[in-house]
Amino acid sequence: MDWSLLPEDLLHLVAGRIVIHADYIRFRAVCTSWRFAVSPRPRHLPPQLPFLIFPENSDTVQNLYSITENKIYNLKFPDHHHFLGSSHGWLILQGPSTALSLMNPFTRSKVHLPPATAIPNLFDTVSPADIQRYSDSFEHRKQSTSAGFWSYFIRKAKLCRDESSVGQFVSIVFPKAGLALWRPGCESWIHAGRYWTFADAEFYKGQLFAITCGGILSTIDFSSPIKERVLVSSPPFAYHDNTVYLVDSGEELMLVVRKYINGDLCHRRTHQFEVFKLELDVRESRWSRMESLGDKILFVERGSSISLPAAGLEGCKGNCIYFSDDYDAYLKDHVKTPDVGVFRMEDGNVQQLECYTPGTKSWWPFPTWVVPYLW
């Protein structure tokens, strides 16, 4: 029998047994009849391991590294864009110029956000001299209208699911000071915490938790008027050359602290991770250390860090933390030693992932983990 003439109900049965996104894409690519027989937006696929997106020696091509296959794919990418992070299968992009948007790299779907210039208090902690210096620098490189200039004022961004709003997604960007939040249907950004420098934020049990670079944890209520409340003022780590991440594991809110071997920012290497879980208490909330992640795998990055069960995920084992490079925009013109790998909680060993292309001169935009979603 001609493969293209297989009954549609049989094709539905076969497609329903596929559990890997890449296999589903290949299934639909067999022929026209197969492609139209099954949905391009499958809902039955289980959680997938994220891919690592990192730059190729081209402005319009990115590398897509698969942990499962230990293979690198090439992905065409729009020019003059800068990664601010990745969340729930979407890349948060900045550029050209002040434009902000969400893009699904697998379906090419795109959502436009209000521009960077619509973020209140964006320049509060930046002096006119700084702005002129950055402008002159980018003008000299003929990039004054590129996303690069604005990357000095917005450090990162993420997409969060607010369960208190019927599962609605909200976009959060991290300017030099405070947080800016945008909900679908709004015309501009809402700004809070203008005197804090936040390292990360995450919705957990219907509340938005935000943590500063120094480890102070607060909740922020963006309703009018905006309310901020400090929960933990004494961090469980010493503030010295660390990067901190908040992770919602589904069971608890985790604090992941990334420590580096001493060295200049262009050549520092990840040395150790410590993980804590939040214990909420009406009188005094606190962090308690976790010695093991059990069967969980954590993927930490500048955007949204995630927790996945290791069971059924080929290529990974539990009790490990996968990390990507995390450095500031001002290092974009420097040769950066890649710092991408996996940390094993059981013995404290760090293994670098040799997934980058030999001879790569720049890791700009910085690498980011992105979970494949076909919807």
Side-chain angles (χ1 to χ4, degrees), residues 171-183:
S171 301
I172 300 175
V173 299
F174 295 73
K176 291 291 183 180
L179 293 177
L181 179 143
W182 177 82
R183 297 182 186 275

Side-chain angles (χ1 to χ4, degrees), residues 128-297:
D130 289 333
I131 295 176
Q132 186 60 51
R133 177 163 55 90
Y134 295 145
S135 299
D136 292 344
S137 175
F138 279 94
E139 181 64 33
H140 176 71
R141 293 194 295 269
K142 298 182 179 180
Q143 296 176 353
S144 59
T145 59
S146 75
F149 173 81
W150 291 93
S151 65
Y152 284 90
F153 305 107
I154 299 178
R155 298 177 294 110
K156 60 181 275 185
K158 65 193 303 181
L159 194 63
C160 292
R161 186 191 296 272
D162 181 3
E163 298 294 349
S164 66
S165 300
V166 197
Q168 184 184 76
F169 283 101
V170 296
S171 301
I172 300 175
V173 299
F174 295 73
K176 291 291 183 180
L179 293 177
L181 179 143
W182 177 82
R183 297 182 186 275
C186 297
E187 295 183 358
S188 61
W189 298 88
I190 303 171
H191 190 267
R194 62 186 300 179
Y195 301 111
W196 298 94
T197 300
F198 289 107
D200 204 359
E202 187 62 71
F203 274 97
Y204 176 67
K205 292 186 176 181
Q207 288 185 294
L208 179 62
F209 291 81
I211 192 166
T212 67
C213 296
I216 298 175
L217 182 73
S218 304
T219 57
I220 300 178
D221 183 353
F222 275 88
S223 60
S224 183
I226 295 173
K227 305 178 184 67
E228 304 170 32
R229 183 167 70 95
V230 174
L231 286 183
V232 181
S233 58
S234 299
F237 61 91
Y239 179 51
H240 177 69
D241 196 23
N242 297 323
T243 305
V244 296
Y245 311 88
L246 293 178
V247 186
D248 179 4
S249 72
E251 300 168 357
E252 55 235 341
L253 183 66
M254 295 180 180
L255 167 63
V256 181
V257 181
R258 180 176 182 174
K259 299 184 176 183
Y260 302 93
I261 295 176
N262 291 335
D264 64 84
L265 292 177
C266 286
H267 300 94
R268 69 180 185 181
R269 296 288 244 182
T270 297
H271 170 62
Q272 184 183 13
F273 281 90
E274 293 181 338
V275 183
F276 305 86
K277 66 178 180 180
L278 180 63
E279 295 184 357
L280 288 170
D281 190 278
V282 175
R283 293 172 296 178
E284 181 182 12
S285 298
R286 59 188 178 277
W287 296 105
S288 62
R289 184 183 298 273
M290 298 179 66
E291 301 296 337
S292 172
L293 298 173
D295 187 50
K296 292 184 177 67
I297 313 169

Side-chain angles (χ1 to χ4, degrees), residues 307-327:
S307 169
L308 293 173
L313 295 177
E314 183 180 349
C316 290
K317 68 174 187 175
N319 205 25
C320 289
I321 301 174
Y322 284 76
F323 56 90
S324 65
D325 230 325
D326 196 336
Y327 57 96

